[in-house]
């Protein structure tokens, strides 16, 4: 994983600031932007894949049983999946404030 | 309820070429469009991007969301850079300096980078006949700089430089017809698309890639931030844009027009406009003007389909 | 064996680009650069050069296209003048920041307005801080040789910076001069195929042109500045290697009659030949006058300059551009600051002459030196202006 920008020395930059690790943004977790999270009701899910294909954050992946689950590390909680689910199998649930 | 043939999307590749961890807004329609375009194109691509939302959200040093080779240079020159890449790869392959292999070269920009500041570079690139695909991700304003109007902003839409006032209705001009401008270069393939219709989009991008010579794909990319709507509704509004005739889905293959998502009867335009904050000020008179224009354009498109089928 | 032939300097430049076996040429016509791109298009049309000749729709796209092709790993070339450079200048800066070793010939011409197609250095001075290696040439041979030398330095993985070769518009571009045309084998030996450090290819994906937050931007600029400074020994080495192969050696500052000179004249580009005649004439009159011809503009040869001027009491810098509202000409301004710490340092007199191709003769140079010799403090003047 790449160092954080604040830690990088000028001598460590590639010429022209070329980034050599493809897809390295995966190190940046967008999940904490979320105030609602999608929750799947497997009884209703028909495994059609619409939640997966309409996700702008590439947060969905299929589990071993074929269900699509959103990855909390990246899901920003936009709710497109819940809205587009043809069987209303996804609900949006408010995230609880972390206890201090 | 979705228009999509449920399950059809499962035929699309699981592989992602645009990675998570990008910093686009919640419910970004443009990101979704980028994701689908690259599912269609696969691994062997080089992308030249203009400055804009997609550039900023995807490439904050030292991170990148791009899984394939990607270059950003400036705002107005994505087409020139892309065709430079194409010319370079072509020369290197011909001279035996790199192995011969089909690599799709893609130029990408928003509506400002395409219809405004990048129009000259795009026209030059299309005219010269390079084998490349140009994708315009149209979210109908300069969203990255804070929702200023572009020539692709629709009539009456309020933006930060086309505010709705007591005298002005918001944007005072009609949306520039970029696909028609691209088509006027007599290039082999032009299409419009929208991520609300993922299979249609993927099919068109694949066709664009398989077409030798320049191809132009114009994708309506719903922007919840700039248009004023919940992020969860991006698919719905893309669908409404198509079903009201505000953004018809069609392709022009070697001059022949084809409507790819037919709408037997257009929905009333206000069903698309009214729920959006950028249109919330519009009066029934403005709505009427827009409805007339949309109906006329739709008829014109159908005529073009008929005429171009004649030869 | 190299053979000496007479040809227009622009044609010689294009012939060098051919021998450098470039892969992509981005071409947009502007006087006085046109003969270079015209001849290149002929070479490609006749199959003498296997390259993509791309006739773009503007200079902005010419530089953008060269950035794209160079980033794809192709040896790329473009050339322009004046307004063309101004139009493309946004991308000129970016090309250096992205460390893409493009070669550009700049057929120097005045910036508008009034519109003028004639020669001075206002165009190149407008991109002084663009981050490219920048060289001035005096004759056909120097232009020809520096096409190879430029690529050699630029493409070195310790350098990876683009190079501008300045050649004065008309005075050089449209002149017929003798030039030694090198054998292909010599050029091949000197300049092997370009091997990019990074290139845009799906087998090894990289991201180029990512943006930096304020937390990293300063580091990026530090790295860029250090890279340009660090190119100096590689330029020296490339000159030495070319000299060993061809017998033609080059230096950051060329010196003429400087050994015991009390007054030194300093010029850039094609002024050198005329100024050289003037210095010879003054020497014949017993005057201790010498000439410095500044070849390397970026990276600036500080040490060389200080060494070259030591012992002289007056340095007369002839600029071909005006820094409006500033300290005179841009070259003199830089030279003054380069010599500021010298003790003793020569007085620096600055003359701005030859704007937009106005002729500067041997007698003019003599007059410029004689006038400077009467001055007591650093100053500047625009030479020969009426009224």
């Amino acid at each position: 994983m790449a160092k954080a920008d604040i830690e990088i020395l000028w001598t460590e930059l590639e010429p022209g600031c070329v980034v050599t690790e493809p897809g390295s943004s995966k190190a940046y977790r967008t999940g904490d932007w979320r105030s609602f999270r999608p929750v799947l009701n497997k009884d209703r899910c028909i495994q059609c894949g619409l939640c997966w294909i309409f996700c702008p954050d590439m947060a969905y992946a299929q589990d071993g049983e074929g269900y699509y689950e959103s990855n909390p590390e990246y899901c920003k909680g936009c709710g497109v999946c819940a809205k587009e689910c043809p069987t209303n199998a996804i609900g949006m649930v408010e995230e609880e404030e972390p206890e201090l | 309820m979705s228009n999509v043939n449920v399950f059809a999307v499962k035929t699309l590749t699981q592989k992602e070429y645009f990675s998570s961890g990008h910093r686009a807004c919640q419910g970004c329609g443009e990101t979704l469009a980028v994701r689908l375009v690259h599912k269609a194109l696969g691994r062997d691509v080089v992308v030249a991007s203009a400055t804009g939302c997609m550039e900023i959200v995807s490439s904050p040093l030292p991170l990148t969301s791009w899984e394939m080779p990607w270059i950003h240079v400036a705002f107005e020159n994505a087409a020139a850079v892309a065709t430079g890449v194409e010319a370079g790869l072509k020369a290197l392959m011909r001279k035996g300096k790199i192995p011969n292999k089909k690599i799709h070269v893609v130029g990408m920009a928003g509506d400002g980078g395409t219809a405004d500041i990048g129009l000259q570079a795009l026209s030059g690139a299309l005219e010269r006949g390079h084998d490349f695909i140009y994708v315009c991700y149209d979210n109908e304003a300069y969203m990255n700089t804070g929702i200023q109007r572009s020539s692709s902003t629709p009539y009456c839409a309020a933006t930060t430089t086309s505010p709705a006032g007591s005298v002005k209705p918001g944007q005072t001009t009609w949306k520039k017809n970029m696909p028609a401008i691209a088509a006027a270069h007599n290039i082999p393939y032009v299409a419009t698309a929208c991520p609300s219709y993922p299979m249609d989009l993927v099919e068109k991008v694949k066709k664009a890639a398989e077409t030798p010579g320049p191809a132009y794909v114009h994708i309506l990319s719903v922007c919840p931030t700039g248009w004023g709507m919940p992020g969860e509704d991006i698919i719905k509004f893309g669908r409404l844009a198509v079903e009201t005739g505000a953004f018809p889905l069609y392709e022009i293959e070697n001059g022949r027009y084809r409507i790819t998502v037919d709408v037997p009867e257009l929905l009333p335009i206000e069903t698309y406009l009214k729920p959006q904050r950028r249109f919330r000020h519009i009066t029934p008179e403005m709505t009427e003007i827009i409805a007339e224009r949309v109906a006329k354009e739709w008829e014109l498109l159908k005529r073009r389909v008929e005429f171009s089928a004649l030869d | 064996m190299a053979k000496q032939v007479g040809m227009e300097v622009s044609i010689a430049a294009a012939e060098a680009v051919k021998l450098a076996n470039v892969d992509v040429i981005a071409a947009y016509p502007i006087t006085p650069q046109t003969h270079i791109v015209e001849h290149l298009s002929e070479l490609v049309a006749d199959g003498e050069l296997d390259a993509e000749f791309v006739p773009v729709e503007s200079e902005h796209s010419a530089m953008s296209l060269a950035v794209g092709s160079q980033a794809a790993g192709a040896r790329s070339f473009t050339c322009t003048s004046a307004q063309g450079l101004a139009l493309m200048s946004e991308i000129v800066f970016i090309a250096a920041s992205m460390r893409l070793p493009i070669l550009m010939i700049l057929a120097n011409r005045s910036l508008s307005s009034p519109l003028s197609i004639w020669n001075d250095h206002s165009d190149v001075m407008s991109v002084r801080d663009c981050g490219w290696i920048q060289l001035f040439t005096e004759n056909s041979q120097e232009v020809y040789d520096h096409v190879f030398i430029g690529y050699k330095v630029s493409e070195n993985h310790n350098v990876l910076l683009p190079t501008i070769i300045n050649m004065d518009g008309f005075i050089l571009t449209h002149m017929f001069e003798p030039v030694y045309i090198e054998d292909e084998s010599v050029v091949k030996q000197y300049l092997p195929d370009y091997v990019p450090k990074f290139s845009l290819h799906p087998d090894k994906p990289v991201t180029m042109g990512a943006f930096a937050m304020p937390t990293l931007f300063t580091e990026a600029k530090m790295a860029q500045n250090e890279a340009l400074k660090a190119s100096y020994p590689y330029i020296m080495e490339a000159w030495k290697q070319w000299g060993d192969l061809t017998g033609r050696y080059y230096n950051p500052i060329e010196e003429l009659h400087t050994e015991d000179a009390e007054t030194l004249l300093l010029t850039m580009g094609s002024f050198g030949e005329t100024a050289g005649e003037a210095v010879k004439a003054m020497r014949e009159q017993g005057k201790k006058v010498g000439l410095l011809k500044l070849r390397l503009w970026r990276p600036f040869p500080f040490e060389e300059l200080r060494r070259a001027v030591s012992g002289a009491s007056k340095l007369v810098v002839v600029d071909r551009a005006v820094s409006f509202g500033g300290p005179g000409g841009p070259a003199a301004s830089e030279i003054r600051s380069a010599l500021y710490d010298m003790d003793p340092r020569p007085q620096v007199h600055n003359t701005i002459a030859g704007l937009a191709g106005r002729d500067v003769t041997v007698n003019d140079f003599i007059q410029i030196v004689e006038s400077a010799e009467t001055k007591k403090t650093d100053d500047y003047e625009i030479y020969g202006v009426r009224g």
Side-chain angles (χ1 to χ4, degrees):
Chain A
M1 193 195 113
K3 274 186 177 181
D5 64 346
I6 196 85
E7 296 168 354
I8 295 170
L9 312 179
W10 73 265
T11 47
E12 295 172 326
L13 289 167
E14 294 287 4
C17 298
V18 167
V19 182
T20 55
E21 187 191 337
S24 55
S25 71
K26 287 193 278 282
Y28 183 76
R29 314 293 189 203
T30 53
D32 57 10
W33 297 17
R34 189 176 58 237
S35 47
F36 288 86
R37 72 187 144 89
V39 176
L40 177 68
N41 178 347
K42 288 186 178 174
D43 294 340
R44 287 191 170 188
C45 176
I46 55 169
Q47 302 186 352
C48 67
L50 286 186
C51 54
W52 163 70
I53 205 63
F54 283 139
C55 176
D57 294 301
M58 290 65 82
Y60 272 95
Q62 258 179 313
D63 66 13
E65 295 173 74
Y67 292 107
Y68 290 87
E69 289 282 359
S70 85
N71 184 339
E73 290 189 335
Y74 302 115
C75 171
K76 293 173 187 160
C78 68
V80 168
C81 50
K83 195 79 180 224
E84 291 304 316
C85 176
T87 60
N88 293 321
I90 303 172
M92 296 303 288
V93 176
E94 194 163 4
E95 294 279 8
E96 283 166 26
E97 287 291 321
E99 281 177 40
L100 295 174
Chain B
M1 178 60 199
S2 174
N3 60 292
V4 180
N5 175 10
V6 186
F7 301 115
V9 299
K10 293 182 83 171
T11 60
L12 298 174
T13 176
Q14 298 275 331
K15 171 83 186 155
E16 302 293 350
Y17 294 93
F18 188 73
S19 281
S20 301
H22 65 76
R23 301 171 194 207
C25 305
Q26 276 185 336
C28 173
E30 192 171 350
T31 307
L32 183 55
V34 169
R35 178 184 177 219
L36 293 170
V37 163
H38 288 286
K39 274 193 185 293
L41 290 172
R43 171 193 185 271
D44 289 334
V45 299
V46 176
V47 185
S49 170
T51 311
C53 283
M54 283 303 103
E55 173 261 326
I56 286 293
V57 304
S58 68
S59 68
L61 274 169
L63 302 178
T64 179
S65 297
W66 300 95
E67 295 283 349
M68 61 293 216
W70 181 89
I71 181 171
H72 157 253
V73 181
F75 196 1
E76 66 284 61
N77 64 355
V81 176
T83 53
V85 171
E86 186 259 7
L89 292 175
K90 194 169 160 188
L92 292 173
M93 287 183 198
R94 189 176 61 232
K95 292 167 97 167
K97 293 181 182 177
I98 59 171
N100 238 319
K101 153 184 197 175
K102 179 69 196 171
I103 296 173
H104 301 297
V105 178
V106 183
M108 62 175 278
D111 47 297
T114 301
D116 290 346
I117 200 168
L119 185 58
Q120 176 180 319
L122 174 60
S123 176
L126 296 178
E127 172 272 325
R128 292 191 301 269
H130 298 268
D131 186 12
F132 82 119
I133 308 149
Y134 188 93
V135 185
C136 171
Y137 295 99
D138 180 7
N139 55 21
E140 302 195 319
Y142 291 89
M143 299 310 181
N144 189 42
T145 45
I147 323 170
Q148 294 83 14
R149 64 83 74 182
S150 78
S151 62
S152 199
T153 302
Y155 182 63
C156 285
T159 70
T160 54
T161 53
S162 63
S166 56
V167 181
K168 303 253 185 175
Q171 175 88 333
T172 54
T173 51
W174 295 96
K175 182 179 176 72
K176 188 185 274 187
N177 190 342
M178 255 323 291
I181 293 169
H185 290 76
N186 287 324
I187 58 173
Y189 190 74
V190 174
T192 64
C194 177
S196 302
Y197 300 79
M199 301 311 286
D200 179 74
L201 184 152
V202 164
E203 201 175 304
K204 283 167 174 167
V205 172
K206 282 188 170 160
K207 223 180 234 187
E210 283 155 17
T211 307
Y216 178 85
V217 183
H218 193 105
I219 304 182
L220 185 72
S221 307
V222 176
C223 174
T225 309
W227 296 11
M229 64 173 68
E232 63 183 9
D233 285 338
I234 55 167
I235 305 301
K236 178 177 130 190
F237 276 91
R239 208 179 293 133
L240 281 171
V242 173
E243 290 173 347
T244 57
F247 192 86
L249 296 182
Y250 61 97
E251 64 182 5
I252 313 166
E253 213 174 344
N254 295 312
R256 191 165 291 201
Y257 281 71
R258 189 171 76 86
I259 292 170
T260 59
V261 174
D262 195 21
V263 186
E265 199 167 335
L266 298 182
L267 293 181
I269 192 72
E270 54 269 33
T271 56
Y272 171 58
L273 303 180
K274 259 300 179 194
Q276 300 182 45
R277 190 178 60 228
R278 63 178 177 159
F279 289 116
R280 72 176 165 198
H281 59 283
I282 61 170
T283 60
E285 292 75 27
M286 292 174 193
T287 310
E288 191 50 38
I289 293 169
I290 296 169
E292 268 176 36
R293 173 89 175 204
V294 163
K296 199 173 135 196
E297 296 273 345
W298 178 245
E299 280 308 310
L300 203 59
L301 180 62
K302 289 201 283 191
R303 297 269 182 86
R304 286 202 173 105
V305 172
E306 286 166 26
F307 286 144
S308 66
L310 291 177
D311 54 64
Chain C
M1 266 300 283
K3 70 171 189 264
Q4 196 181 28
V5 289
M7 60 173 71
E8 196 190 79
V9 182
S10 288
I11 306 300
E15 288 289 329
V17 172
K18 180 192 87 175
L19 265 192
N21 192 20
V22 302
D23 301 309
V24 175
I25 298 154
Y28 188 83
I30 180 168
T31 303
Q33 151 269 33
T34 39
H35 291 183
I36 302 173
V37 289
E38 284 171 6
H39 191 58
L40 282 169
S41 73
E42 287 166 9
L43 292 169
V44 172
D46 289 336
E48 285 190 51
L49 168 60
D50 185 2
E52 288 296 305
F53 182 89
V54 191
V56 288
E57 87 299 332
S58 72
E59 287 91 353
H60 194 282
S61 284
M63 185 48 65
S64 301
L65 191 127
V67 163
S69 56
Q70 192 78 44
R75 185 173 283 162
S76 305
F77 174 81
T78 191
C79 52
T80 193
S81 300
Q83 304 315 120
L85 180 71
L87 181 59
M88 68 163 64
S89 75
E90 180 198 19
I91 314 303
V92 170
F93 282 72
I94 295 174
S97 305
M98 293 181 75
R99 308 283 300 274
L100 295 167
I102 300 160
L103 186 85
M104 172 160 69
I105 292 181
L106 185 58
N108 303 109
R109 160 182 157 177
S110 320
L111 281 178
S112 264
S113 77
L115 181 75
S116 166
I117 56 170
W118 309 101
N119 163 238
D120 65 36
H121 294 163
S122 52
D123 55 3
V124 64
M125 291 305 163
S126 76
V127 296
R128 184 192 64 178
D129 297 333
C130 67
W132 290 48
I133 293 167
Q134 299 178 46
L135 297 145
F136 282 85
T137 55
E138 184 179 319
N139 56 41
S140 188
Q141 194 67 57
E142 294 188 4
V143 174
Y144 182 85
D145 290 351
H146 279 86
V147 170
F148 312 117
I149 295 163
Y151 277 121
K152 175 92 173 169
V153 175
S154 285
E155 294 174 358
N156 186 318
H157 283 199
N158 295 308
V159 178
L160 290 177
L161 286 165
T163 296
I164 291 174
I165 301 171
N166 289 284
M167 69 188 287
D168 286 321
F170 291 109
I171 296 167
L172 279 186
T173 54
H174 287 55
M175 198 61 72
F176 274 71
E177 283 189 11
V179 59
Y180 284 100
I181 298 292
E182 288 301 329
D183 285 345
E184 196 179 346
S185 58
V186 172
V187 172
K188 273 211 151 77
Q189 185 190 341
Y190 180 75
L191 182 66
D193 279 351
Y194 171 47
V195 181
K197 185 172 170 73
F198 302 109
S199 63
L200 296 168
H201 194 283
D203 287 351
K204 202 179 174 197
V206 292
T207 285
M208 295 184 181
F211 81 92
M213 293 295 283
T215 41
L216 196 52
F217 191 86
T218 308
E219 282 67 27
K221 291 295 120 177
M222 176 77 177
Q224 186 183 347
N225 190 38
E226 291 300 314
L228 186 49
K229 281 157 63 185
S231 68
Y232 189 84
Y234 299 102
I235 297 167
M236 299 298 282
E237 186 186 308
W239 274 333
K240 167 89 170 49
Q241 287 173 358
W242 184 250
D244 292 347
L245 272 174
T246 64
R248 294 187 296 276
Y249 292 91
Y250 295 105
N251 296 292
I253 299 170
E254 304 291 348
E255 302 182 27
L256 185 72
H257 296 311
T258 53
E259 48 290 347
D260 58 346
E262 289 165 3
T263 300
L264 287 170
L265 195 56
L266 185 145
T267 62
M268 297 156 93
S270 64
F271 265 178
E273 295 207 345
T274 321
E277 293 303 314
V279 165
K280 272 183 217 159
M282 286 186 275
R283 279 279 169 179
E284 279 162 19
Q285 292 167 8
K287 288 191 170 177
K288 290 186 172 176
V289 178
L291 175 64
L292 302 178
K293 298 188 275 192
L294 184 61
R295 178 185 309 290
L296 185 61
W297 177 232
R298 284 293 184 275
F300 192 85
F302 291 97
E303 288 306 315
E304 285 286 311
L305 179 74
R306 287 175 195 136
R307 190 196 50 71
V309 302
S310 63
S313 58
K314 282 185 187 290
L315 177 62
V316 186
V317 178
V318 186
D319 260 296
R320 303 196 73 172
V322 186
S323 172
F324 300 104
S333 153
E334 297 238 335
I335 286 163
R336 278 198 188 105
S337 93
L339 303 182
Y340 185 77
D341 288 335
M342 270 183 86
D343 188 23
R345 71 168 182 91
Q347 262 179 19
V348 180
H349 303 282
N350 180 205
T351 301
I352 295 162
L355 297 184
R358 188 177 287 192
D359 204 15
V360 182
T361 64
V362 171
N363 279 337
D364 290 324
F365 278 110
I366 293 172
Q367 213 179 314
I368 285 167
V369 170
E370 284 175 351
S371 157
E373 282 174 338
T374 65
K375 306 271 174 57
K376 298 274 183 272
T377 52
D378 291 10
D379 61 0
Y380 82 88
E381 66 170 336
I382 298 179
Y383 178 78
V385 69
R386 288 186 300 278

